[in-house]
Amino acid sequence: METSWFSPLGDVVFVEKTADGALLGVGEEKFRVDVLRPDLLRLKISQAGTFDENPTFAACFQVSGAPPFRLIEDEASITIDTGRVRLLISRRPFGLSAYRSDGSVIFEDQRDEAGGGGYLRLNDSFIVTRRITPHDSIYGLGEKTGHFDRRGRKFILWNTDVLAPNVLQRNHLHEVDTTLTGKSTRFDPYYTSIPFFYHCRADADGAKMAGFFIDNGYKASVDFEKRNTYSFSFSGGQYTEYVFAGPSMSDILAAYTFVTGRMAAPPIWALGHHQCRFHDYTDEGILDIGRAYRERKIPCDVLWLDIGYMNGFRVFTWDSDKFPDVPAMIAQMKADKLRLVTIIDPGVKAESGYSVFDEGRAKNLFCKTEAGQLYVGQVWPGRTVFPDFVRPDVRAWWAELNRRHVESGVAGIWIDMNEPATGDVEPFAMRFDRDASNHAHERYHNQYALLMAMSTHRGVSAANPGLRCFILSRAGFAGIQRYAAQWLGDNVSDWDHLRMSIPMAMAMGISGQPFIGADIPGFSAKPTPELAARWMQYGAMTPFCRCHNEAGERDQYPWSFGPGVEKRSRAALELRYRLLPYIYSAFMRSSETGDPIQRPLVYDFQHDRHARETDDAYLFGDALLVAPVLAPGQTARHVYLPQGTWVDWYTGERHAGGQFITAAAPLDRIPLFARGGRIIPAYATAPSSTMDHYPELLELHFIVPDEDGEFFSQLHEDDGITSGFQSGAFRRTTFCLTRQKDRVRVSARVAGHGFPEFRRRALRLVFHGCSVDRLELQGGEIRVNGGLVEIENHGEGFELSFLV
Ligand code: GLC
């Protein structure tokens, strides 16, 4: 970004202590610090002397009063000390730096010769430049292509429909490489913008991280290319930054999701397998797909309908020739233990006589141009208008349309094209809240999907009081996790896109969005059978597991590539379905803590350099390490196993961590390693669907560690669909496994009141990678045969121990 005419704010001219921090006069503006928690500060700089208290819809937290802090003034500087963070503000000229209580750096402005220059601005734009050392790493920024470590690249934050022809030119993205198309694995910008990143400084003793969330929805350029500085600049809006002291990635993510919210507990069926296709189905056609899943005994929970179900792509309508009786179709799906999700785009066909358009126009609910005409773009139905989601009355209207649509029995809503995509027409003439505030397009472009998700969530929840809500969104902004899961948009059926999706999904996970997945086995182009099998094996081990493909492409059902791929897909999905108790527990935990589900190794092993550099493998939950196969013909791959014990899920072979191994990867399976010390709950057999699945038998897989220590795992059980868990209708078992020399003790404690569907009568204990032939349960001795034993259990806690 060209910044030669940008200028600094000047000197500090006054300092006032406030209840929450401090207010400073700086040149003609004000600078405010709010101490939100001892490890979390919010910094703001006014625009023309005024603060915007709600710069975006991302933040959703409440604090009751600031924690104690000290404000210390001296001749050259002002210090705000929370005990965890020391923010140092230089007076002449104004400059900022922050340190932890041990003196380690959180951030330091880059200063010019006059001692200022960290913050510069021109007109409504600003740029912040800070120091970095050549060996530091940067993580985060949500959905971005390339390496997980963002160092060495520049990025733009501007929600973009990546496959649309000439989308970069139409969005005036002249500064990016316009020769790239959305099919490139370096394409930028992408669908979702999350202005949040981690700065990691490592030395021989380990790594410390700090986090930074710039609460601004305008277009941004972020530059991590330089050796000694990094910068972020926004084309408008207020400088509002949340500074997270860390020093661990998990502390920062917990605090970031405190600020922007956490994923709502999802219905368990959303963790099942989803079948989607951009295709002109009829009701019989889609029901046949469901029947094929059942006949072929491939687990599946959800069938999806893309835009073809509508009457001429008019949202909230059905093509009644193809779908004459929607409730009957949905009832049939239910009989087959399947649910239905339908797509809803924001673009409303601009056509008199179409009720959604007529009503929205009559009530003045669509975005307008500066002059007050309806803004018209071009998406699937042709000329389209766009709901002005910035306004609460428009969100309420759209929610009501969704409520009515969903009441026919639709289980969830897929919201797409919400960057917003405007096709052949430039988006900039679209203004928001034109008659009252007349906001320029840039202010809300990146938040459009967030607002659409907010409104859709409201409608779907209203249709199903007491039930959990599932929404899938393509675009997003910080905070979208509160309302919607996301997928990685239109990808290509090739090995590079499979590989690219791993760091992309992991980065979404550490940017607050844990519910994420890529189209299996790629949206456009034709996958080879081998890629189809490998992608299904990988997709089954990601948070969101959906098959999808582009219109006009050949069939990509699990059975479309012949019996070999069908068999492997079935096995991959059966493994996912057997692991659902574990996966579901990981989701429930994530909804409380913000923990990612497809988590980078660095999240758990921050001090390990190889773990920090791994972006081709990940933990699925906190107990399974997944190393997907990323190239054709590959039947073995290198896997880095961090500290601890890792047990091959299939063979029981044990590996000490802290080393690279070569893992066998025959075509039948994805390399998978269970983490020593963990107890992994699983169903004894894979159900075909989660619907009404409350089995009498549950397996607990004990992954005995080689090293002594204490290890915790959790099993969360509830009805999986209602919000009853919020008032105690669940059973949560916390396992503590302790190893001391050759003695292993396990104690299981149960919390919650339980729930009516609970039917458990027995637990099957399975011991991985070690021979256990007897154990003590509540003082009595039991024999173990062939590494497993069944014990009676109705959901109560227990104590057991055994020798290894
Ligand atoms: C967009 C979506 C894709 C969908 C298509 C038609 O390209 O990303 O998933 O199938 O629109 O609705």
Side-chain angles (χ1 to χ4, degrees):
M1 184 177 188
E2 175 53 51
T3 54
S4 17
W5 295 100
F6 280 53
S7 59
L9 287 179
D11 294 346
V12 174
V13 291
F14 71 80
V15 181
E16 260 173 38
K17 186 169 184 191
T18 65
D20 299 328
L23 179 69
L24 279 65
V26 186
E28 315 232 300
E29 295 291 358
K30 292 179 198 135
F31 169 73
R32 200 172 94 197
V33 188
D34 298 319
V35 180
L36 303 174
R37 301 185 349 177
D39 60 344
L40 172 56
L41 304 182
R42 180 174 53 202
L43 316 179
K44 289 184 176 188
I45 293 175
S46 64
Q47 289 180 293
T50 307
F51 287 111
D52 182 350
E53 299 301 346
N54 295 299
T56 73
F57 289 83
C60 64
F61 66 99
Q62 300 207 314
V63 283
S64 45
F69 65 91
R70 290 189 307 148
L71 185 135
I72 307 143
E73 292 195 55
D74 64 30
E75 178 53 24
S77 59
I78 301 120
T79 303
I80 296 190
D81 192 342
T82 71
R84 293 273 303 272
V85 178
R86 223 159 24 83
L87 178 73
L88 202 70
I89 309 164
S90 358
R91 289 180 190 264
R92 282 175 296 275
F94 170 73
L96 296 172
S97 47
Y99 305 88
R100 297 183 192 88
S101 50
D102 63 3
S104 57
V105 178
I106 296 172
F107 74 83
E108 285 178 327
D109 273 356
Q110 169 65 13
R111 310 276 164 98
D112 56 23
E113 276 154 28
Y119 173 93
L120 300 172
R121 68 179 182 173
L122 179 70
N123 301 328
D124 288 339
S125 308
F126 65 86
I127 180 164
V128 171
T129 309
R130 292 185 176 150
R131 292 186 199 154
I132 191 167
T133 73
H135 300 295
D136 296 354
S137 301
I138 298 281
Y139 308 107
L141 282 193
E143 191 186 38
K144 290 290 170 201
T145 57
H147 292 295
F148 185 63
D149 182 348
R150 306 301 190 197
R151 232 29 227 292
R153 273 193 74 180
K154 291 179 179 161
F155 300 95
I156 299 286
L157 302 182
W158 182 258
N159 290 0
T160 301
D161 176 10
V162 304
L163 280 191
N166 302 319
V167 73
L168 297 176
Q169 289 81 353
R170 290 231 163 72
N171 282 274
H172 300 181
L173 293 162
H174 308 297
E175 64 276 57
V176 305
D177 181 353
T178 49
T179 63
L180 294 177
T181 72
K183 297 191 174 181
S184 148
T185 52
R186 284 186 61 80
F187 190 81
D188 188 70
Y190 233 70
Y191 301 100
T192 290
S193 299
I194 304 183
F196 169 59
F197 61 91
Y198 301 78
H199 180 175
C200 174
R201 292 176 153 89
D203 58 26
D205 296 333
K208 290 196 165 97
M209 295 202 201
F212 305 94
F213 168 47
I214 301 91
D215 188 13
N216 183 314
Y218 281 79
K219 183 175 149 193
S221 313
V222 193
D223 184 352
F224 298 123
E225 213 169 49
K226 302 196 175 67
R227 281 175 64 79
N228 298 314
T229 59
Y230 74 81
S231 65
F232 51 83
S233 61
F234 285 76
S235 66
Q238 177 175 280
Y239 162 78
T240 309
E241 183 175 20
Y242 291 83
V243 175
F244 304 89
S248 80
M249 188 178 245
S250 53
D251 290 344
I252 296 168
L253 185 57
Y256 170 74
T257 53
F258 159 77
V259 171
T260 62
R262 298 184 176 128
M263 166 184 69
I268 192 168
W269 55 263
L271 316 189
H273 175 55
H274 301 256
Q275 172 59 50
C276 184
R277 184 179 186 183
F278 185 1
H279 185 67
D280 262 336
Y281 289 109
T282 59
D283 54 359
E284 271 310 308
I286 187 80
L287 287 170
D288 279 348
I289 299 301
R291 282 184 206 114
Y293 266 97
R294 293 297 173 252
E295 277 157 20
R296 292 167 187 273
K297 301 202 175 340
I298 301 174
C300 183
D301 261 76
V302 193
L303 301 176
W304 292 53
L305 286 174
D306 204 323
I307 50 174
Y309 79 88
M310 300 176 207
N311 172 14
F313 305 145
R314 293 172 189 84
V315 287
F316 304 110
T317 67
W318 287 84
D319 179 330
S320 55
D321 290 337
K322 290 192 268 172
F323 299 91
D325 189 347
V326 175
M329 174 184 75
I330 292 177
Q332 182 55 52
M333 285 182 184
K334 194 169 171 209
D336 293 335
K337 298 199 169 196
L338 290 162
R339 289 180 160 88
L340 176 68
V341 169
T342 61
I343 195 168
I344 294 286
D345 289 336
V348 172
K349 188 174 173 82
E351 176 194 57
S352 298
Y354 161 41
S355 64
V356 178
F357 175 73
D358 288 345
E359 189 186 345
R361 183 169 54 176
K363 294 186 177 158
N364 189 24
L365 303 171
F366 297 122
C367 291
K368 292 187 186 164
T369 64
E370 184 183 16
Q373 299 154 2
L374 282 185
Y375 169 86
V376 175
Q378 174 267 320
V379 262
W380 299 116
R383 289 166 58 82
T384 32
V385 294
F386 294 82
D388 190 348
F389 289 124
V390 169
R391 285 166 40 196
D393 58 328
V394 179
R395 296 201 294 276
W397 172 64
W398 196 258
E400 176 57 16
L401 291 171
N402 273 280
R403 189 190 65 73
R404 278 190 247 141
H405 175 74
V406 164
E407 262 181 356
S408 60
V410 173
I413 293 290
W414 168 22
I415 58 176
D416 187 24
M417 309 294 279
N418 49 2
E419 293 69 36
T422 51
D424 289 344
V425 182
E426 287 187 1
F428 301 101
M430 178 198 290
R431 298 180 86 88
F432 297 101
D433 198 13
R434 188 257 171 206
D435 296 343
S437 318
N438 200 1
H439 291 299
H441 183 73
E442 288 83 343
R443 182 176 172 101
Y444 290 109
H445 177 91
N446 285 344
Q447 297 181 67
Y448 193 78
L450 171 66
L451 292 164
M452 183 183 185
M454 192 185 279
S455 158
T456 307
H457 188 276
R458 178 167 159 183
V460 175
S461 307
N464 301 309
L467 289 188
R468 300 179 212 174
C469 184
F470 175 72
I471 291 161
L472 182 78
S473 179
R474 187 167 76 177
F477 185 67
I480 182 104
Q481 67 272 8
R482 307 199 292 270
Y483 309 108
Q486 286 184 270
W487 92 107
L488 297 172
D490 298 339
N491 58 354
V492 183
S493 298
D494 67 29
W495 294 92
D496 288 346
H497 271 251
L498 191 170
R499 192 193 188 296
M500 169 175 94
S501 77
I502 300 172
M504 220 181 215
M506 296 192 306
M508 286 295 265
I510 59 159
S511 305
Q513 176 55 288
F515 204 169
I516 186 78
D519 283 347
I520 307 168
F523 177 68
S524 68
K526 295 178 176 39
T528 60
E530 185 187 6
L531 177 64
R534 289 306 197 187
W535 206 318
M536 185 64 102
Q537 290 167 344
Y538 159 60
M541 295 288 114
T542 60
F544 178 60
C545 172
R546 183 183 75 156
C547 284
H548 186 34
N549 71 335
E550 163 85 293
E553 293 291 359
R554 68 177 179 207
D555 291 0
Q556 283 186 184
Y557 305 107
W559 51 87
S560 309
F561 302 88
V565 176
E566 180 176 343
K567 181 181 85 184
R568 294 180 181 110
S569 299
R570 180 184 302 107
L573 291 172
E574 281 178 351
L575 175 60
R576 179 182 184 89
Y577 271 69
R578 279 195 61 204
L579 287 171
L580 274 174
Y582 163 72
I583 299 171
Y584 183 63
S585 301
F587 268 82
M588 292 305 283
R589 189 170 162 73
S590 173
S591 72
E592 292 160 15
T593 60
D595 278 343
I597 293 164
Q598 185 167 356
R599 53 209 258 174
L601 299 190
V602 59
Y603 192 74
D604 292 62
F605 302 96
Q606 180 167 324
H607 300 301
D608 175 337
R609 180 166 69 87
H610 296 301
R612 290 199 297 274
E613 288 170 0
T614 299
D615 67 3
D616 63 354
Y618 57 93
L619 288 177
F620 185 40
D622 69 352
L624 286 173
L625 191 151
V626 185
V629 174
L630 302 169
Q634 205 177 18
T635 51
R637 64 156 281 181
H638 260 113
V639 182
Y640 179 68
L641 299 174
Q643 205 67 49
T645 305
W646 297 91
V647 179
D648 186 309
W649 181 256
Y650 311 98
T651 65
E653 192 184 347
R654 304 170 77 77
H655 302 276
Q659 59 164 340
F660 285 88
I661 63 157
T662 303
L667 204 45
D668 285 333
R669 60 183 202 235
I670 187 169
L672 191 62
F673 299 89
R675 188 170 177 182
R678 296 303 197 276
I679 293 174
I680 300 177
Y683 294 139
T685 50
S688 60
S689 158
T690 64
M691 200 182 280
D692 300 325
H693 188 68
Y694 304 101
E696 295 186 355
L697 174 67
L698 188 82
E699 288 185 350
L700 294 179
H701 292 257
F702 288 68
I703 317 298
V704 178
D706 284 337
E707 62 281 10
D708 285 359
E710 197 181 41
F711 308 85
F712 290 90
S713 312
Q714 251 180 18
L715 163 67
H716 178 100
E717 297 165 287
D718 60 28
D719 63 23
I721 48 176
T722 74
S723 45
F725 70 97
Q726 287 167 346
S727 40
F730 63 85
R731 243 171 240 276
R732 178 169 296 188
T733 314
T734 303
F735 302 101
C736 174
L737 182 152
T738 324
R739 175 162 189 171
Q740 234 181 352
K741 299 206 171 73
D742 55 359
R743 166 72 60 190
V744 177
R745 286 175 212 283
V746 177
S747 99
R749 299 262 144 78
V750 182
H753 310 319
F755 52 102
E757 295 80 0
F758 187 79
R759 299 209 189 101
R760 187 159 74 236
R761 289 158 170 271
L763 287 173
R764 178 184 292 157
L765 315 182
V766 187
F767 297 91
H768 280 252
C770 64
S771 56
V772 176
D773 48 25
R774 64 190 62 235
L775 57 81
E776 265 181 36
L777 178 71
Q778 316 288 77
E781 204 171 86
I782 319 185
R783 289 182 62 76
V784 178
N785 287 319
L788 48 93
V789 64
E790 268 179 40
I791 60 170
E792 192 179 328
N793 182 279
H794 298 81
E796 65 281 0
F798 58 83
E799 307 276 330
L800 63 79
S801 78
F802 53 89
L803 290 173
V804 284

